[in-house]
Amino acid sequence: GQISGTMPLYDSVQFPGLQSRLTKDIFQFLSATSVQIRKLDGKRNLAVQRFSRLIKTIWPRAQVKLYGSYMSGLCLPSSDLDFVVCLPAVHKKD
């Protein structure tokens, strides 16, 4: 069913036959999942902040970066968050 408050993108796009049905289904899926993803944004942002804070307590000079499907905009509501922790170079004294 249609989720209230969303604007169906597929209503203004016309495609012939089977392509029309597939396109409509894809747009409905994107519309439904984008609402769910937006609802999770607060929790995801909190998780990023907490993880970053934890890493900084262990390695104060570390950088925490997000990558993956969430950053590329291709995530699903069930997608995880992918982090990379960058530590500064350590120079050995001879």
Side-chain angles (χ1 to χ4, degrees):
Q2 185 72 13
I3 296 175
S4 63
T6 62
M7 189 170 102
L9 301 171
Y10 55 85
D11 282 350
S12 61
V13 181
Q14 297 296 320
F15 295 95
L18 184 58
Q19 185 179 3
S20 174
R21 173 60 192 235
L22 180 59
T23 301
K24 183 176 179 178
D25 289 347
I26 290 170
F27 279 123
Q28 284 178 321
F29 175 79
L30 291 174
S31 180
T33 56
S34 67
V35 169
Q36 293 172 4
I37 289 168
R38 279 195 303 274
K39 286 181 181 179
L40 294 172
D41 273 346
K43 290 180 181 180
R44 285 188 170 149
N45 288 335
L46 183 61
V48 170
Q49 290 173 5
R50 286 182 175 177
F51 183 76
S52 297
R53 202 168 37 239
L54 173 65
I55 293 300
K56 292 281 189 177
T57 61
I58 299 168
W59 298 293
R61 295 175 45 210
Q63 292 181 348
V64 178
K65 299 179 181 182
L66 276 170
Y67 71 100
S69 63
Y70 182 72
M71 289 305 294
S72 68
L74 299 173
C75 66
L76 297 173
S78 61
S79 293
D80 63 354
L81 294 172
D82 300 300
F83 294 94
V84 63
V85 176
C86 302
L87 299 174
V90 176
H91 300 285
K92 294 182 181 180
K93 294 183 180 180
D94 293 329

